[in-house]
Amino acid sequence: MLTLRDLMARGEGLDITLLGIALANGAAYFALGLLVFGWAERQAKRKGILGGY
């Protein structure tokens, strides 16, 4: 597995495919987190345990 240390210290090349997979993975988790947060916020407001800020 290529690490940041390999890239900087040893002059290894950056694999664009792996970078794309990592970015897509991060975007997917971010989107999922936004959906879960929105759901939890609606539930809290519905129950009256969260005021509108």
Side-chain angles (χ1 to χ4, degrees):
M1 176 160 180
L2 188 64
T3 62
L4 183 58
R5 182 175 189 269
D6 293 331
L7 288 173
M8 296 181 74
R10 298 184 183 140
E12 297 287 330
L14 179 62
D15 187 357
I16 299 299
T17 304
L18 289 177
L19 179 61
I21 292 170
L23 289 174
N25 186 45
Y29 273 104
F30 182 73
L32 181 63
L34 286 177
L35 289 173
V36 171
F37 180 82
W39 173 82
E41 183 182 29
R42 284 190 305 277
Q43 294 298 315
K45 284 184 178 179
R46 185 178 60 81
K47 293 179 180 180
I49 56 177
L50 181 66
Y53 289 99

